Amino acid sequence: MSDSWDKKSRTKTVRAEEKAVLSVIEQQPTPLPGEGRARRGQLIWLAVGIVLIAANLRGALTAVGPVVGRIKDDLGLSGAGAGMLTTLGLLAFAVISPVAPKLSRRFGAENLLLAGLALITLGVIVRTSPYAALLFAGTGLIGLGIGIANVLVPAVIKRDFASRAGLMTGIYSVALTLVAGIASGVSIPIADAPGWGWRGALGVWGFASALAMIVWLPQVIRSRRGRQVRQQTPGIKLWGSALAWQVTLYMGFQSIIFYVNVTWLPELLQDRGMDAGTAGWMLSLMQIIGLPANFLAPVLAARRPSQRGIMSVVMGMLLVGYLGLFLDHGTGPLAVLWIVLIGIGAGASFSLCLVFFALRTRTAAEATELSGMAQSVGYLVAAVGPAFIGFVHDRSGGWQAPLGVMLGVVLLASLFGFGSSRHAYVSSASAPDHDPTPTDTQ
């Protein structure tokens, strides 16, 4: 009798729960016809805008390396002075990065990204003037614009592509690296064209940033029509987080690798007997060869809780590549192999750093703050690299000592990269016990 009563009671309870669920479903608003398609269209256009922004975040800087010798000769700069052309941009990154999250909360991410593109365009125009002071001033403006986008794009990806953060980070990283490589390869041909010179080779990148501004305008208009794009939470303090510092220092040392490469690799190869045009294309090869790893690293990283296995492979490639350049003084097939290994390792390490902003945080607000902190301190660390390598080269008279320094940089990047790869979050005081952001499933 008791069992029968229990069964009837459970049946009534289940039916009551079913009615409650159906009631909730019925109360949900019915999507308007075409609403899903409109949302997908907006996301596709947003993705296109992000790709075009990415296309402007390195080209104006990587175009300098192949023509740095001409700039030195034309303006009478020392090696350290020429290295400052890259260092100044990195210092600008460091200055604007901690401010960018606050400006984003005040003005909105879309508006601030448009302002960043405008600064890049203005900087490219200023840099084409015939005065050395304006060359450096324009570089500073470019750095400020790039620094804003560096911080905000990963946060926008976290916010609007949360379930595909690894995939979208890979696309963003590939676009950034591909255009950076193209910029390195075409600098010498453009500079050699009649009437262009090295100023023309640097000035063409104003067209790319102007195009990105036009494509990004619909995002700004949509945000001004009421779309919530601003962070409504107060700034999150991550400066006491050991994990946040590991991500930050990993950002710094892997950035040294990239910016030393784009500043001095063509000069190193030319000093070893390679012609200027080929040396520029070798820098282009270094960046483009890493594109598959650049894309796959964040996609694979987002599928697993810890990224230490991926980090081991990436850092191993960098170590072997720099060791090869250190021991092999030629410019033959082996030199190409070392450059390929460095290119794959550097590409993957950069995209891993970007995806850490999403994987090591729980919310878009945290991602913005971590991105700002990592890129502020990280690029301040990285800013030392190009000028210091130029100084070491000037003092040593060769490239063995600079390459020895770079081997040490790779080891430090490995140390902080392993720390950044562990399954943890930069802030847990007010965070839920589970990770609300699903990882990639494709």
Side-chain angles (χ1 to χ4, degrees):
M1 181 72 178
S2 176
D3 290 343
S4 175
W5 176 261
D6 287 342
K7 289 179 181 178
K8 289 180 180 179
S9 177
R10 285 195 296 271
T11 301
K12 289 180 180 179
T13 300
V14 170
R15 287 176 179 172
E17 290 175 350
E18 289 175 348
K19 288 180 180 179
V21 170
L22 289 172
S23 175
V24 170
I25 292 173
E26 289 171 356
Q27 292 174 12
Q28 299 300 315
T30 303
L32 296 174
E35 191 176 73
R37 289 193 298 273
R39 174 60 179 162
R40 285 194 296 272
Q42 290 175 5
L43 286 176
I44 291 171
W45 193 251
L46 174 61
V48 171
I50 287 174
V51 167
L52 286 178
I53 290 174
N56 285 277
L57 298 189
R58 293 296 181 272
L61 298 179
T62 59
V64 174
V67 296
V68 71
R70 303 186 189 195
I71 296 173
K72 285 169 59 180
D73 295 339
D74 191 18
L75 301 178
L77 300 177
S78 65
M84 279 299 296
L85 284 173
T86 301
T87 296
L88 186 59
L90 298 178
L91 289 174
F93 293 177
V95 168
I96 198 65
S97 293
V99 181
K102 299 178 180 64
L103 294 175
S104 177
R105 289 193 296 272
R106 174 68 179 83
F107 299 106
E110 282 80 354
N111 295 325
L112 197 57
L113 282 166
L114 182 66
L117 290 169
L119 283 172
I120 294 171
T121 305
L122 178 61
V124 170
I125 294 171
V126 170
R127 194 168 63 170
T128 58
S129 70
Y131 303 103
L134 291 180
L135 171 68
F136 286 97
T139 300
L141 290 173
I142 292 169
L144 291 175
I146 292 175
I148 289 171
N150 280 339
V151 172
L152 294 187
V153 171
V156 170
I157 290 173
K158 174 77 172 181
R159 184 195 67 191
D160 292 329
F161 299 93
S163 63
R164 295 290 183 271
L167 177 63
M168 195 62 210
T169 299
I171 294 171
Y172 164 68
S173 180
V174 165
L176 188 154
T177 306
L178 176 62
V179 177
I182 292 172
S184 300
V186 301
S187 276
I188 292 294
I190 293 175
D192 287 342
W196 285 80
W198 64 262
R199 287 186 174 87
L202 301 185
V204 295
W205 295 99
F207 295 105
S209 55
L211 174 63
M213 289 178 67
I214 294 170
V215 174
W216 190 251
L217 273 175
Q219 305 302 328
V220 175
I221 295 170
R222 189 174 295 114
S223 72
R224 290 177 180 175
R225 287 176 178 170
R227 181 184 176 191
Q228 185 178 1
V229 296
R230 299 174 189 176
Q231 300 290 353
Q232 300 298 328
T233 56
I236 299 166
K237 304 299 181 184
L238 301 178
W239 298 86
S241 166
L243 178 56
W245 275 105
Q246 288 171 329
V247 174
T248 295
L249 292 173
Y250 174 60
M251 177 75 193
F253 285 104
Q254 70 84 28
S255 294
I256 287 178
I257 294 169
F258 176 80
Y259 286 103
V260 166
N261 286 343
V262 299
T263 304
W264 293 117
L265 180 68
E267 193 86 348
L268 180 153
L269 294 174
Q270 289 177 62
D271 286 351
R272 290 183 173 181
M274 188 175 288
D275 66 88
T278 304
W281 280 112
M282 290 302 290
L283 177 58
S284 184
L285 171 67
M286 174 179 283
Q287 295 169 81
I288 293 175
I289 198 68
L291 288 178
N294 213 315
F295 174 75
L296 289 173
V299 174
L300 295 175
R303 293 183 176 182
R304 59 203 69 207
S306 171
Q307 294 75 41
R308 288 184 170 177
I310 300 173
M311 187 64 67
S312 299
V313 175
V314 168
M315 289 297 142
M317 288 184 173
L318 283 169
L319 193 62
V320 172
Y322 275 109
L323 190 60
L325 283 181
F326 182 83
L327 297 175
D328 177 18
H329 298 179
T331 57
L334 280 179
V336 176
L337 173 62
W338 312 137
I339 289 170
V340 166
L341 288 174
I342 293 172
I344 295 172
S349 67
F350 172 65
S351 58
L352 279 174
C353 189
L354 291 181
V355 82
F356 284 156
F357 299 153
L359 298 182
R360 301 285 87 92
T361 59
R362 297 180 186 272
T363 66
E366 283 186 359
T368 304
E369 295 294 335
L370 178 60
S371 181
M373 173 183 172
Q375 299 196 61
S376 174
V377 178
Y379 282 126
L380 194 60
V381 171
V384 177
F388 182 69
I389 292 298
F391 171 77
V392 172
H393 175 255
D394 287 347
R395 295 299 297 267
S396 67
W399 290 104
Q400 292 306 99
L403 287 170
V405 172
M406 292 307 298
L407 284 168
V409 169
V410 172
L411 292 176
L412 288 170
S414 302
L415 174 66
F416 296 113
F418 281 120
S420 302
S421 299
R422 72 181 190 274
H423 184 212
Y425 299 96
V426 295
S427 175
S428 59
S430 60
D433 292 334
H434 64 283
D435 182 6
T437 303
T439 56
D440 288 338
T441 58
Q442 292 185 6

